[in-house]
């Protein structure tokens, strides 16, 4: 239904709100993480987020269905403050979206967008193949960030798997935090 796009337009079509968001994004002491609908919203606001101009629009999955499961992703080397120290990490993550396809035909520039995370297959290779990549995005792309790393947009849900017990399987202490908790620790460290 384009919920993230509708959310963004409620900002861009309101001059007072648009000015407030532009000012927020321009401040060097701010940061933000857009997840799922928030990712769609950030991508739609990319023209007012410094360094996000090349981001794609996130549109209907290539499967043309809502996809909900744990999928494997790889965190890429990027300036994202959220993924600091996580490059090369491969982890399962919760996916729950119908519109997660990184569509550069509608907006953005694949050659200039800064990838922060991608879907991988069972061998750890980036993939566009279903069901490993639930939306079919090129190169498995599922997260982008700005050049300064303050703003990151991602389709999967790290907040749904921040504890080991939330994984489909773990050999770690089920009561302990999963590796996804590092995103929140990184954000806290950036603020301090």
């Amino acid at each position: 239904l384009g919920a993230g796009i509708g959310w963004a337009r409620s900002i861009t079509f309101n001059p007072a709100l648009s000015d407030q968001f532009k000012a927020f994004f321009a401040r060097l002491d701010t940061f933000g993480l857009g997840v799922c609908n928030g990712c769609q919203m950030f991508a739609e606001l990319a023209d007012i987020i410094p360094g996000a101009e090349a981001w794609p629009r996130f549109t209907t999955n290539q499967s043309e269905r809502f996809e909900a499961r744990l999928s494997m992703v790889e965190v890429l080397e990027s300036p994202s403050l959220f993924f600091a120290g996580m490059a090369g990490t491969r982890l399962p993550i919760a996916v729950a979206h119908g519109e997660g396809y990184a569509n550069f035909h509608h907006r953005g520039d694949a050659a200039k967008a800064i990838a922060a995370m991608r879907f991988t297959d069972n061998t750890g290779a980036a993939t566009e193949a279903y069901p490993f990549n639930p939306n079919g995005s090129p190169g498995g792309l599922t997260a982008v960030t700005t050049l300064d790393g303050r703003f990151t947009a991602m389709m999967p849900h790290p907040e749904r798997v921040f504890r080991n017990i939330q994984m489909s399987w773990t050999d770690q202490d089920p009561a302990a935090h999963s590796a996804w908790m590092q995103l929140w620790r990184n954000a806290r460290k950036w603020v301090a």
Side-chain angles (χ1 to χ4, degrees):
L1 300 176
I5 291 173
W7 191 8
R9 294 211 173 126
S10 70
I11 295 164
T12 57
F13 292 163
N14 180 320
L17 269 180
S18 182
D19 289 345
Q20 290 173 22
F21 271 81
K22 285 177 188 174
F24 175 82
F25 291 134
R27 287 177 30 201
L28 298 179
D29 63 343
T30 60
F31 66 97
L33 175 66
V35 173
C36 200
N37 285 347
C39 174
Q40 295 167 350
M41 182 198 78
F42 270 20
E44 199 63 21
L45 295 176
D47 291 333
I48 66 170
I49 301 174
E53 299 81 7
W55 288 3
R57 176 177 285 165
F58 289 86
T59 61
T60 303
N61 296 339
Q62 294 296 287
S63 67
E64 298 186 354
R65 292 185 289 219
F66 181 86
E67 301 289 347
R69 68 173 71 81
L70 280 177
S71 292
M72 187 64 74
V73 292
E74 177 183 17
V75 178
L76 302 173
E77 185 67 45
S78 81
S80 174
L81 70 91
F82 295 97
F83 294 129
M86 295 180 70
T89 303
R90 291 189 187 122
L91 292 165
I93 193 167
V95 172
H97 59 258
E99 297 166 314
Y101 177 71
N103 193 333
F104 288 98
H105 298 293
H106 284 283
R107 71 170 322 277
D109 183 339
K112 294 180 181 176
I114 301 172
M117 193 167 60
R118 64 184 176 194
F119 289 111
T120 65
D121 62 19
N122 60 323
T123 68
T127 187
E128 296 172 19
Y130 184 85
F132 301 110
N133 178 334
N135 55 47
S137 291
L141 181 67
T142 192
V144 289
T145 193
T146 54
L147 187 59
D148 64 7
R150 292 186 303 119
F151 295 97
T152 298
M154 61 187 293
M155 285 307 300
H157 290 270
E159 79 285 0
R160 294 185 184 182
V161 286
F162 71 94
R163 296 179 59 220
N164 286 328
I165 194 72
Q166 295 166 309
M167 300 291 185
S168 60
W169 179 88
T170 183
D171 62 355
Q172 304 296 309
D173 175 3
H177 290 127
S178 78
W180 288 115
M181 191 65 181
Q182 190 61 43
L183 272 77
W184 321 122
R185 290 182 182 120
N186 284 340
R188 177 69 181 112
K189 183 178 176 182
W190 192 86
V191 170

